[in-house]
Structures are given as C-alpha cells and as structure tokens.
Amino acid sequence: GAVVSQHPSRVICKSGTSVKIECRSLDFQATTMFWYRQFPKQSLMLMATSNEGSKATYEQGVEKDKFLINHASLTLSTLTVTSAHPEDSSFYICSANPTGGRREQYFGPGTRLTVT
Amino acid sequence: AQSVSQHNHHVILSEAASLELGCNYSYGGTVNLFWYVQYPGQHLQLLLKYFSGDPLVKGIKGFEAEFIKSKFSFNLRKPSVQWSDTAEYFCAVSHSGGYQKVTFGTGTKLQVIP
C-alpha cells in the first residue's frame, strides 16, 4: 500500500515551453502533497506544499508564477513548469501525506526534467 | 526554522563493518524524525521513523536509530553492513502538528565494499 506515482518519469523540452508533471496517490487519499527538487549530489529542497482545494504554499525563493501547482482532487497534484529554461533542469519529486492524521509521507519515483 | 545536518557526506565501509551515521537537527518543539534511503536509480524509501515513545527505533533491513533529545540527535546504526546497503541515506525532521512539512539533511552516501 501507500504508492505514489509520477508521470512522466523523464521529459525533455525546449526552452520557453511548459511542462506538466503529475503526482498521484494510487491507494490512498492525500489532502496534502509536497513538491521537492533535487539537484545532483544534493538533498531534496522543498518547493511547495500543495493542499487539496486551496492554493499552494510556496517556500521562500520559489517563483509561484513559474512553478504552478494544482491539487484538484485528493489523489492528484500537478506541477507545471512554465516557460522552462535550462536552469530548471532537475529531478522533481513529489510526496503525499495520507489523510487521517498519519504523519508519514510517501514519495513518488521522481521526474527528470531536461530543458534544452 | 528547522534544519538538519548530517556530518558525513561519503562513507566507505567493508562488508560486515558496523555503521553509524550522524544526524542532528535544530528545532525547539516536538519533532518527528525519519531516515530515508535512496538506492541507486530508485526513489526514496522510508527506513524508520520516530514519533514518540521508545527512543530506540528499529526499522527495516536491520537498521535502527536512537533519538537523544538532549543532543538533538537521531543517529542511524547497523551492526553489520552488506554490499546491498550501498545507497544514499537522508535524515529528515518534521514538527508535530501542522501539515507535516519535512526538512531533509544533505544526505550521506554509503559505499560498501565486498
């Protein structure tokens, strides 16, 4: 149980285009999902907290207009990287916190974004 | 703001050696503590967690960690490592209550030599 999927697993896009990444909790509901970014040989940096039915909460330094987050249902959150640039190339990971007060997060496999 | 520091960035051990990875956090309130592992090419998996109760926590694959509140530490241990333990290990902390925002340490890369 507690599986989180991400789609796509890898994506290559051209500079200036937008890319949407999906994060789904497959066998549980998640009121809260999180989006992280992981640079090579570095730790995970929290980008934003996605709350179902409300606006996302962004960490300091993360551009809201560039990284659009939508959490339309209890099993799906999406991250859209708008007007992507090469410096946005990274590994994006989502996690989901099950509803019902459980304090664990379950992580997706990540999405490797390469902007050319 | 909470922060997590992992003292060792890269650890190399021979099989059967004992392992201890350090983790210290800074946060004044009640915390939840985690160790995650990321095997090469795979996603993060939870090794063990501490929420409350017995400060010695046992996780999967023979790992354990001890929460020492006075030292703000949550070190990971394993008495005898195997080659298959080669991976990156992340310590993480969240504060009790709220929406479980998790802060990760910088990670420790463990390489076990057969």
Side-chain angles (χ1 to χ4, degrees), chain A residues 6-81:
Chain A
Q6 282 185 240
H7 178 80
S9 56
R10 289 177 178 271
V11 58
I12 301 172
C13 70
K14 292 186 178 180
S15 232
T17 61
S18 295
V19 174
K20 180 187 280 188
I21 302 169
E22 293 185 349
C23 175
R24 292 182 186 271
S25 56
L26 298 185
D27 49 3
F28 64 97
Q29 293 185 327
T31 306
T32 306
M33 290 184 174
F34 302 86
W35 287 96
Y36 296 85
R37 187 171 175 177
Q38 187 178 27
F39 292 98
K41 300 182 181 180
Q42 294 189 31
S43 186
L44 283 76
M45 299 298 295
L46 180 64
M47 298 174 65
T49 302
S50 170
N51 298 297
E52 187 267 337
S54 64
K55 291 183 179 180
T57 304
Y58 289 82
E59 295 300 300
Q60 194 172 8
V62 178
E63 298 176 60
K64 301 178 184 183
D65 296 331
K66 181 166 189 60
F67 298 99
L68 301 179
I69 290 171
N70 183 271
H71 194 151
S73 78
L74 288 172
T75 59
L76 173 64
S77 176
T78 60
L79 168 69
T80 302
V81 183

Side-chain angles (χ1 to χ4, degrees), chain B residues 5-49:
Chain B
S5 63
Q6 292 182 241
H7 318 298
N8 315 100
H9 296 294
H10 194 182
V11 172
I12 302 174
L13 293 173
S14 299
E15 273 193 319
S18 64
L19 170 72
E20 181 159 3
L21 301 182
C23 172
N24 286 89
Y25 67 93
S26 66
Y27 181 69
T30 304
V31 294
N32 303 315
L33 296 157
F34 309 87
W35 274 98
Y36 286 91
V37 60
Q38 189 172 29
Y39 296 102
Q42 296 188 29
H43 62 279
L44 279 171
Q45 299 172 41
L46 182 67
L47 260 185
L48 48 79
K49 60 185 184 285

